[in-house]
Each structure stands twice: as C-alpha cells, then as structure tokens.
C-alpha cells in the first residue's frame, strides 16, 4: 500500500486529521469526566460489597457481574474521553519507537480476540522520534486496539510495522526541538478485517462514531490518536479496501540519530 504526503496533503486515499479543540471544550470535558469518574467509583465500591455477599443466588450474582462490566466499560470510556483534552505541557524527549512497540506487546495482546494474530515487523535501526512519550504510546495503543476490534468477529491478522520515511514540501511550524524536519518514523498498523465502508469513511475521526457494534466500541480511538500525534507535530493517515485497512502514524524523527 503506497501512501505519500506532499505539501500537507495525503495522496491515494489517505486522510490527515487536524484536531484543534478550544479551551472551553477542554474545561467542559475535564469537568464532566471528573464528575462521572466520582460516580463510577461509587458504583464499583458498592458492587464489590454486594458481590461479596455469600448468600446471593447465582442469577443475582450474574446480573451484578453484568452491571460491573458495564461500569468498567463506562470508566474506560471516561478515561479515553479525557484523553481528548490537550495537555497543559508536553515533555519533549527522544523516543526509540522500535523498543516502545516491543514493550507494548503485552498490552496489544489484551486487545485481540482468540482468532486474531498480532505480528510486529521492525528494522534493527530507526531514527529516534522527538515527541511526548505518553502521547506517542497512547496513539499506538489506540490504533492497535482499533485494528483488533476490526478483526474480533471473524479473526485475522494485525500487523504493526515500522519504517523511516522522508517527505518533500513544507510543514507547519513546530517547537524548536522538533527541528521542522520532513523526516518521519512511520508506525503502520494494518488489519485484514472488512474495511471501512466508503459512505462513512469521512466520519471515522469524529468522536463517538464507530462502524462496530455500539455495545463494544467507544468510537474514540481514531480521534484520540489523531489528536495525540497532531500535538507533537505528527500526522495520521489511512487507506482502506474491502479486505484491509491501514493506518499510519507519522512521527517527527531526528535525522542525525539512530535508535
């Protein structure tokens, strides 16, 4: 699958997403998630007490377990929603993405279904990335989670491969530490799921929109990943077909240092 960026435009079906939430939106999301997390903490506490009651019949215990699963899903949704908030500060550092991806392997395995296989392909040497470690890590996790969800029903393979890439053209001004270099480390996440329907492809970066069953998908992963890489001067692009979807994170790289 060939994808290129030129003058800030992604070619051959790819999309670059720019996320620029306002300060008032950040404050609203921060307040709502804080209050909801307080409520959900009460849910978890009282459910734990109730489920410890040895006198409960099995039917009641099963129903409480379903409620607890719902509360856990709501907590996860709140945490991922909070990720939409822009950080007050970014901690810029050199990141070895190859090492990071291998360290995240255990987390990847928690996303996949029984029929899904995860493969990691990475060269021994890559340039170091300049960015915020938390943002890079969570962007990768969101894309792998999204790919695993796409293959959960029928099974398949999720492939995470890394490469260095150079692009021509100009880039928007970034912090001095990013060097404004058009050199990237690309994290490509490909799944052989059913692909993204063409009639909804322009909506996939919208918060809470999902092509997956509503009960199992938050519809936040792509929006969060796009926002994270945008904050460090990176890009997110994709291509899709009936039997494959590929998302690529372009992370600003140091051209003079290899990891």
């Amino acid at each position: 699958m060939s994808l290129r960026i030129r003058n800030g435009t992604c070619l051959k079906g790819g999309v670059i997403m720019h996320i620029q939430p306002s300060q008032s939106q950040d404050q609203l999301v921060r307040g709502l998630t804080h209050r909801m997390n307080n409520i959900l903490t009460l849910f978890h506490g009282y459910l734990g007490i109730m489920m410890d009651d040895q006198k409960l019949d099995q039917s009641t215990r099963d129903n409480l377990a379903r409620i607890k699963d719902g509360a856990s899903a709501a907590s996860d949704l709140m945490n991922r929603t909070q990720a939409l908030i822009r950080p007050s500060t970014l901690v810029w550092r050199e990141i070895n993405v190859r090492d990071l991806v291998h360290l995240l392997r255990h987390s990847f395995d928690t996303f996949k279904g029984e029929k899904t296989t995860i493969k990691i392909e990475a060269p021994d040497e890559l340039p170091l990335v300049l960015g915020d470690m938390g943002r890079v890590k969570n962007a990768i996790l969101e894309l792998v989670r999204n790919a695993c969800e796409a293959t959960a029903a029928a099974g398949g393979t999720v492939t995470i491969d890394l490469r260095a890439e150079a692009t021509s053209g100009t880039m928007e001004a970034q912090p001095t530490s990013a060097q404004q270099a058009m050199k990237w480390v690309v994290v490509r996440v490909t799944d052989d799921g059913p692909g993204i329907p063409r009639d909804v492809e322009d909506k996939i970066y919208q918060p809470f929109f999902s092509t997956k069953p509503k009960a199992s998908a938050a519809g936040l992963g792509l929006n969060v990943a796009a926002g994270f890489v945008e904050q460090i001067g990176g890009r997110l692009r994709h291509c899709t077909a009936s039997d494959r979807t590929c998302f690529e994170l372009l992370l600003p790289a140091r051209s003079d240092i290899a990891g």
Side-chain angles (χ1 to χ4, degrees), residues 83-102:
L84 297 172
I85 302 171
R86 291 175 297 178
S88 55
T89 59
L90 290 172
V91 180
W92 292 85
R93 58 175 292 185
E94 295 171 349
I95 303 169
N96 186 316
V97 179
R98 181 181 184 275
D99 289 351
L100 175 60
V101 166
H102 283 290

Side-chain angles (χ1 to χ4, degrees), residues 44-62:
H44 286 295
Y46 282 113
L47 282 168
I49 294 172
M50 294 174 68
M51 294 181 71
D52 285 340
D53 187 349
Q54 300 301 315
K55 297 180 181 179
L56 289 177
D57 61 84
Q58 190 58 48
S59 176
T60 302
R61 191 174 298 278
D62 290 343

